[in-house]
Amino acid sequence: MVKMKNLTLGYKKEKILKKIDFKVSKGEFIGIIGPSGAGKSTLMFSLVGGIKVFDGEFEVLGHDMRDIKKKNLRKVREEIGFIFQGYNIVNRLNVVDNIVSGMISDVPVARAIIKYYKEKELKEVEKLLELVNMGKHALKRCDELSGGQRQRVAIARALASQPEIILADEPISALDQKSAKKVMDILKKVNEELNVTIISNLHHIDVAKNYCTRIIGINSGHIVFDGKSDELTDEIIDKIYEGEKREESDEEE
Ligand SMILES: Nc1ncnc2c1ncn2[C@@H]1O[C@H](COP(=O)(O)OP(=O)(O)OP(=O)(O)O)[C@@H](O)[C@H]1O
Ligand SMILES: [Mg+2]
């Protein structure tokens, strides 16, 4: 899915991630942890071509990202669903319209506006609504939903284009513990049942340990840990968060 070798990434003249070696295989559920400003979101944005490559090798879904053509970048982006901390949905549209608008290439904007959807599309929406357990809110406008419900719509929307990878940048940071659990449970289901690769920045170490099959620890632009969740000892956690007081996951049970 992803291959980074000795890769240095950043913005204009500033190098943020340095000499990164990172490979992702299909079906992994990767949690990225580290202090604020470490480069976690930068790493994630780089996968959709938003970040400058200074040096090294970089492939996403078989495409060389160093000099990727626009057409191929579009292909890569179609295969990657993105869930942000601020929910990437349109609040004034209802749940169904939001999900359908995620089927980028299949549903032209004009049809979405007049709500002319095909049978096949509505079947798919029904499946997604069930997956994220939002069936009974299908016709509610998204500004009438709770934060956790909106995040679940965002997941359904991201899945609507049947992506290979889902990137989730702090998907639960704005949610209470119960809603956060629901969102993480759904991501887990998406990973295990649909075999979608998931890469997620997570603030809560316990959540990362519970849900992810592999954890990447980043400190000041360097990967300082790459291993299984149960290999993440307190000593390693201290190393990952060196230089910053780490956020205690006091919302955890
Ligand atoms: N658009 C940008 N232009 C220039 N520098 C940027 C830009 N976005 C982020 N940076 C810098 O890159 C570094 C890494 O930022 P990044 O957002 O990747 O951190 P992060 O680990 O996701 O932090 P947080 O946990 O706070 O979200 C920071 O020093 C930041 O100031
Ligand atoms: Mg970030």
Side-chain angles (χ1 to χ4, degrees):
M1 301 271 111
V2 178
K3 239 193 248 174
M4 298 181 169
K5 203 175 160 199
N6 211 10
L7 184 66
T8 297
L9 295 167
Y11 304 91
K12 288 197 184 123
K13 283 181 186 153
E14 197 184 358
K15 294 174 181 171
I16 302 291
L17 291 159
K18 295 147 208 153
K19 297 188 185 296
I20 298 292
D21 285 310
F22 179 46
K23 268 188 195 172
V24 181
S25 308
K26 185 161 179 65
E28 287 195 280
F29 190 162
I30 298 179
I32 300 177
I33 61 172
S36 182
K40 305 181 298 293
S41 296
T42 304
L43 182 68
M44 212 158 269
F45 280 122
S46 74
L47 301 180
V48 286
I51 305 295
K52 182 172 172 179
V53 178
F54 286 90
D55 195 22
E57 293 169 31
F58 187 14
E59 270 179 37
V60 178
L61 298 168
H63 294 277
D64 190 334
M65 297 297 280
R66 289 172 302 185
D67 52 0
I68 189 163
K69 298 221 163 62
K70 267 198 181 144
K71 195 179 109 210
N72 288 334
L73 188 58
R74 210 178 310 129
K75 274 192 209 157
V76 168
R77 287 177 178 170
E78 277 179 13
E79 295 293 342
I80 299 183
F82 217 133
I83 303 163
F84 302 91
Q85 42 204 124
Y87 335 107
N88 44 334
I89 56 172
V90 183
N91 280 327
R92 65 189 163 74
L93 293 181
N94 73 29
V95 172
V96 170
D97 295 342
N98 263 290
I99 296 174
V100 179
S101 71
M103 299 173 177
I104 339 162
S105 50
D106 303 339
V107 183
V109 178
R111 275 209 292 122
I113 289 170
I114 59 166
K115 298 191 196 300
Y116 172 71
Y117 302 139
K118 292 179 184 162
E119 191 64 33
K120 188 182 99 203
E121 289 156 4
L122 289 175
K123 280 243 164 66
E124 185 59 29
V125 171
E126 234 171 78
K127 265 202 297 193
L128 290 168
L129 282 171
E130 196 184 322
L131 182 79
V132 300
N133 196 18
M134 284 295 289
K136 59 174 189 272
H137 304 292
L139 297 176
K140 266 194 191 164
R141 272 171 59 130
C142 288
D143 49 16
E144 293 167 14
L145 302 175
S146 73
Q149 290 169 336
R150 282 182 216 189
Q151 201 58 298
R152 275 143 60 196
V153 176
I155 294 172
R157 186 183 190 280
L159 284 170
S161 59
Q162 299 181 313
E164 288 279 348
I165 303 174
I166 283 200
L167 304 176
D169 195 354
E170 289 177 23
I172 56 167
S173 62
L175 305 181
D176 62 80
Q177 188 194 322
K178 249 193 184 161
S179 314
K181 184 176 183 313
K182 279 187 194 164
V183 166
M184 290 309 295
D185 285 344
I186 287 166
L187 286 177
K188 188 177 171 174
K189 202 156 98 180
V190 167
N191 173 248
E192 288 176 353
E193 290 175 18
L194 305 179
N195 201 26
V196 174
T197 307
I198 299 184
I199 306 174
S200 181
N201 289 343
L202 291 163
H203 256 85
H204 298 300
I205 296 165
D206 298 351
V207 174
K209 275 183 117 168
N210 277 341
Y211 285 92
C212 303
T213 55
R214 179 176 157 204
I215 292 177
I216 304 290
I218 301 185
N219 184 303
S220 315
H222 295 278
I223 291 183
V224 295
F225 175 77
D226 180 353
K228 293 208 178 96
S229 308
D230 52 12
E231 292 166 2
L232 191 68
T233 59
D234 284 348
E235 214 175 21
I236 293 172
I237 291 170
D238 286 344
K239 191 173 143 200
I240 295 170
Y241 286 89
E242 210 173 76
E244 196 211 53
K245 192 187 171 304
R246 87 177 143 99
E247 208 160 303
E248 297 294 339
S249 42
D250 51 8
E251 282 170 23
E252 279 303 288
E253 280 154 311

